[in-house]
Amino acid sequence: MTSVNNPLPRQEISGPATARHSSRLAGRLDAAADKSCSHRAAILAGLAGGVSHIEGMLESEDVLAALRAVEALGARVERTGPGQWTIEGGKWRDPDEPLDMGNSGTAARLLLGAASRFSLTAVFVGDASLSRRPMERVLAPLKAMGAMTGAAQGGRLPVRLTGGNLIAIDYTPPVASAQVKSAVMFAALGARGQTVVREPVPTRNHTENMLPLFGGNVSVEADPAGHVITVPGGQSLTACDLAIPGDPSSAAFAVAAGLIAPESELTVAGVMTNPARFGLYDVLKEMGAHLEFTPAGSRCGETLCDITVRTSQLKGVDVTALRAPSMIDEYPILAVLAAFAEGETRMRGLGELRAKESDRLSSTAALLDANGVKVEIEGDDLIVTGVGLAGVPGGGRVETRDDHRLAMAGLVLGLGAQAPVSVDETAMIATSYPGFFDDFSAIGANID
Ligand code: S3P
């Protein structure tokens, strides 16, 4: 048995890497566990009375940061086997030290919300990338509920939070963000009164879906004007056993590799099909991708499918801004695929990408530019001129800017490009997809 503070048995990979043209990628991978669901399972189990057993947890750096914080806040957290965690939750207390959120915006924002329902004081810190990202978007509603917060200039980490005695609010987040919604929902569980969150543009709904599994009370009204989520206050949660579904965002990298590497056919198994996460796959179908979705049961109320992909000549498309929340993490890899498509792809309404692990609008454009692909940013839109399956020059060095998805997207580009593509750092890939190199080696990708 391993406590969350002991290192997990894993080969550390760091430093630059180079991907070379590869063909005949083949095989069957199990999708990596979903990062969003793993975060929510760790936090909800940490809040719930009794012992929860979580199977298939994503053991990535981001999720480990959340698990360590939940333990430091008073839960008993134990790793009982690969991906298997036992968490005994309850009332949270002052942690002895600052809570290190590492690179994880989700851990930071969701835990700020969850911790604020208790009478405790905690300091949240993060790495260089996370310390540049906006926290005011969660601090504002938490302050409106009565939490006291002190943040570095511009509402950044480090943040000092004192919670307790919260009152319910009726809140419409100014940005479409599942993290903001979830932070308010977690805080609402301990507030006086009934909290309402109004989402004009619905975002991923894993908090809404998972809360009832822990005995939580939440109602969601969906109408054309958006979603209205209501959470009564004064709730206590009870432990449950659950299994984490596969991550459509991580699966996207192997699917993309299968689309662009010649003569490939591969399957990624157990991918969650939640429509709030499946936007990329809908767009890929519109682009002419050979994708087959085979139903593969369900996990913790989410349906799963196996995705089989074959090399495909894609065509450029216009991706509306309304799709953005259902594929917000997939734009770097979609932009890479757009380079291998025929014709122009315009991805609209990507302002939120500026607030990710890097400014993903500019870092994605720079990734393509460094590899001979014509790309423009017009306002909040990204426009890529595709040159067809065999036409992407490659040969560039990608600046990853502490961003895991940039690193993985750059390496996938190299698998289909004419000349090798290198990325300047790979250590942060472990924040979301620690098995990336093993999985890509298993399907025959030439990366070293
Ligand atoms: C996440 C929500 C998204 C996403 C992030 C995970 C979540 O962020 O980019 O990787 O688990 O709630 P926003 O909700 O801030 O867009």
Side-chain angles (χ1 to χ4, degrees):
M1 288 205 243
T2 323
S3 145
V4 67
N5 284 317
N6 290 336
L8 298 173
R10 180 190 312 139
Q11 199 190 341
E12 291 296 327
I13 293 174
S14 64
T18 302
R20 292 163 215 283
H21 192 82
S22 302
S23 52
R24 298 196 189 85
L25 300 186
R28 182 181 173 89
L29 302 173
D30 286 329
D34 188 65
K35 180 158 77 73
S36 293
C37 290
S38 296
H39 271 121
R40 286 155 177 81
I43 294 170
L44 286 167
L47 292 172
V51 179
S52 296
H53 301 280
I54 298 155
E55 202 184 299
M57 181 86 99
L58 176 69
E59 294 178 329
S60 76
E61 292 304 326
D62 279 12
V63 175
L64 292 174
L67 286 163
R68 284 188 198 103
V70 164
E71 187 176 57
L73 286 158
R76 197 177 58 78
V77 178
E78 206 165 17
R79 181 178 191 259
T80 53
Q84 289 181 352
W85 293 76
T86 292
I87 300 178
E88 185 172 359
K91 193 165 176 262
W92 290 5
R93 56 163 165 75
D94 288 13
D96 297 334
E97 288 172 11
L99 301 172
D100 187 356
M101 303 289 104
N103 191 255
S104 180
T106 312
R109 298 193 179 111
L110 269 54
L111 281 162
L112 279 163
S116 70
R117 67 172 287 191
F118 297 102
S119 299
L120 58 77
T121 295
V123 175
F124 290 74
V125 299
D127 73 4
S129 151
L130 187 57
S131 304
R132 288 191 292 268
R133 297 177 64 188
M135 291 296 144
E136 192 54 34
R137 52 179 60 194
V138 288
L139 301 183
L142 297 180
K143 281 187 272 194
M145 296 175 88
M148 286 188 297
T149 68
Q153 204 168 15
R156 320 266 149 182
L157 296 185
V159 166
R160 185 185 176 82
L161 170 88
T162 301
N165 286 320
L166 302 186
I167 45 164
I169 51 170
D170 187 323
Y171 194 61
T172 304
V175 285
S177 166
Q179 297 179 352
V180 173
K181 168 179 64 179
S182 302
V184 175
M185 289 174 68
F186 286 142
L189 292 170
R192 255 174 298 126
Q194 182 159 280
T195 294
V196 179
V197 184
R198 299 173 196 276
E199 282 198 304
V201 184
T203 62
R204 65 189 67 190
N205 56 356
H206 307 304
T207 306
E208 295 91 311
N209 292 348
M210 211 182 273
L211 196 47
L213 305 181
F214 287 87
N217 184 354
V218 54
S219 76
V220 182
E221 269 172 57
D223 65 39
H227 284 185
V228 179
I229 300 119
T230 305
V231 182
Q235 297 195 43
S236 356
L237 304 179
T238 44
C240 81
D241 293 352
L242 57 82
I244 305 294
D247 193 324
S249 302
S250 297
F253 296 102
V255 168
L259 287 171
I260 59 174
E263 298 172 62
S264 297
E265 175 162 349
L266 58 92
T267 298
V268 186
V271 181
M272 175 167 52
T273 61
N274 185 323
R277 297 289 301 284
F278 221 63
L280 173 76
Y281 300 96
D282 298 333
V283 169
L284 291 178
K285 285 300 259 185
E286 284 167 24
M287 294 174 85
H290 296 295
L291 295 179
E292 262 172 50
F293 305 106
T294 311
S298 67
R299 281 190 154 200
C300 80
E302 300 283 0
T303 56
L304 308 179
C305 72
D306 297 343
I307 303 178
T308 298
V309 52
R310 276 186 291 128
T311 312
S312 309
Q313 178 54 71
L314 304 174
K315 55 181 191 314
V317 285
D318 194 315
V319 186
T320 66
L322 279 178
R323 282 213 190 273
S326 70
M327 50 183 294
I328 193 67
D329 292 334
E330 278 66 88
Y331 286 100
I333 194 62
L334 177 60
V336 163
L337 290 173
F340 291 89
E342 280 169 351
E344 183 181 286
T345 294
R346 180 181 277 260
M347 293 157 262
R348 297 178 189 268
L350 306 189
E352 262 303 294
L353 292 197
R354 297 196 171 92
K356 295 297 175 188
E357 284 81 333
S358 65
D359 169 351
R360 274 193 191 148
L361 203 47
S362 80
S363 53
T364 301
L367 182 166
L368 294 179
D369 185 56
N371 286 289
V373 178
K374 185 165 175 265
V375 57
E376 281 163 82
I377 297 173
E378 261 180 38
D380 289 344
D381 297 353
L382 186 65
I383 304 126
V384 176
T385 305
V387 285
L389 259 187
V392 175
R397 184 174 168 89
V398 175
E399 270 185 48
T400 51
R401 307 186 195 173
D402 300 318
D403 190 333
H404 52 134
R405 297 199 201 275
L406 252 284
M408 292 186 276
L411 291 172
V412 170
L413 183 122
L415 299 177
Q418 292 159 359
V421 173
S422 49
V423 300
D424 62 1
E425 184 51 69
T426 51
M428 72 321 228
I429 289 176
T431 62
S432 66
Y433 191 172
F436 175 82
F437 287 101
D438 287 348
D439 282 356
F440 271 68
S441 149
I443 57 173
N446 190 347
I447 302 178
D448 53 40

